[in-house]
Amino acid sequence: MGKAKKGKASLGPAQRRGRRKRVVHVFTEGLVTEPSYIDIIKACGEPADPVITVEVRIANASAPGSQRKPLKLVEAAVDLMSSEQRQARRSGLAKEYWPQVWCLFDRDEHEGIETALKQAREGDVKVAFSHPCFEVWRLLHHKPVTGTFGGVCGQATARLPFARDPKDGANIKVVLPHQVVGRYPEARKRALRMNAEHGEHVALVNRDPYTNVHEFVEQGLGITSY
């Protein structure tokens, strides 16, 4: 399916009338991990509807670290979503082809997470949120996740089965195909079981561990498995 495209935050109208394509703009907290993961699943994923092409645009590919905090990501994403919706309405684009805007960010030790989540909801921006970090989702591709991490991402990273491998562990931030391909169905099941351990009364920001990256895979990228 090709690699995720990198570029400016707004790259023009998502689609013209009659073309069966949907654009997904993605703002990632990480500079390397999430984009490398997206490239893999776009190349190897099974689309829910082969007729519809989903074009992924990494909206903040060149953004510095100071612009990658959750609140900054959401603010930029809300602005882009507003612009894309206006263009979609003007072009008469069918609603099912309207662009989506997603933010992928972690709990880590960030401030303002609840505010970021609220602003995203109000701005029609979707969020794939991981607690304490994206490595929980990577870990679920290999085994169930139990216990808590106390908000420390390093503990999740240390549990990755390839963390101490001289080859795979050399640059642990890069997601490699053999680490995830063929493992999605189990990762999704494990994520659902893990998330269900938290009661509905527990605020999302306090659910440790937690991840809903599978929703981004299915609802955003239109992929059923990889």
Side-chain angles (χ1 to χ4, degrees):
M1 294 185 190
K3 290 188 174 183
K5 293 187 176 182
K6 299 180 179 181
K8 296 180 180 179
S10 180
L11 302 180
Q15 131 130 32
R16 295 184 182 278
R17 188 193 301 267
R19 291 175 59 194
R20 304 205 63 181
K21 180 177 78 172
R22 178 167 58 80
V23 172
V24 178
H25 300 276
V26 187
F27 289 80
T28 67
E29 179 182 342
L31 181 63
V32 175
T33 305
E34 294 93 330
S36 63
Y37 169 74
I38 292 170
D39 281 344
I40 292 168
I41 62 174
K42 282 298 295 175
C44 302
E46 299 176 12
D49 186 347
V51 176
I52 299 177
T53 298
V54 177
E55 180 182 323
V56 184
R57 299 178 180 178
I58 304 298
N60 65 330
S62 59
S66 61
Q67 298 301 308
R68 290 179 176 272
K69 306 301 183 185
L71 272 173
K72 292 290 187 180
L73 290 182
V74 170
E75 288 170 359
V78 168
D79 286 345
L80 178 57
M81 186 74 257
S82 177
S83 173
E84 289 291 299
Q85 287 182 335
R86 285 196 301 271
Q87 292 178 20
R89 289 191 188 96
R90 284 199 297 265
S91 65
L93 189 64
K95 201 70 177 279
E96 62 265 34
Y97 301 124
W98 276 31
Q100 293 183 13
V101 179
W102 283 78
C103 286
L104 275 61
F105 59 81
D106 306 334
R107 175 65 184 92
D108 270 334
E109 298 178 0
H110 296 305
E111 297 180 355
I113 293 291
E114 291 178 323
T115 300
L117 292 170
K118 180 175 183 291
Q119 290 181 358
R121 286 193 301 272
E122 294 174 347
D124 205 19
V125 168
K126 300 180 184 298
V127 174
F129 174 71
S130 299
H131 192 318
C133 57
F134 189 83
E135 277 60 39
V136 169
W137 175 238
R138 297 176 70 184
L139 183 56
L140 287 165
H141 285 72
H142 298 270
K143 55 187 176 182
V145 175
T146 58
T148 66
F149 296 98
V152 180
C153 184
Q155 292 187 16
T157 303
R159 289 196 202 178
L160 294 172
F162 45 84
R164 293 180 177 79
D165 183 277
K167 183 178 179 181
D168 286 14
N171 190 352
I172 199 68
K173 288 185 177 296
V174 178
V175 180
L176 300 175
H178 68 270
Q179 296 171 358
V180 294
V181 174
R183 300 175 181 272
Y184 178 75
E186 283 303 312
R188 183 183 186 277
K189 289 179 185 176
R190 291 165 182 158
L192 292 174
R193 286 197 299 266
M194 179 186 75
N195 293 346
E197 293 295 316
H198 304 291
E200 288 297 322
H201 64 285
V202 180
L204 186 62
V205 71
N206 294 326
R207 299 181 188 184
D208 179 11
Y210 177 90
T211 187
N212 68 329
V213 175
H214 55 282
E215 294 179 6
F216 166 67
V217 172
E218 297 178 9
Q219 300 172 22
L221 305 185
I223 290 174
T224 58
S225 190
Y226 54 78

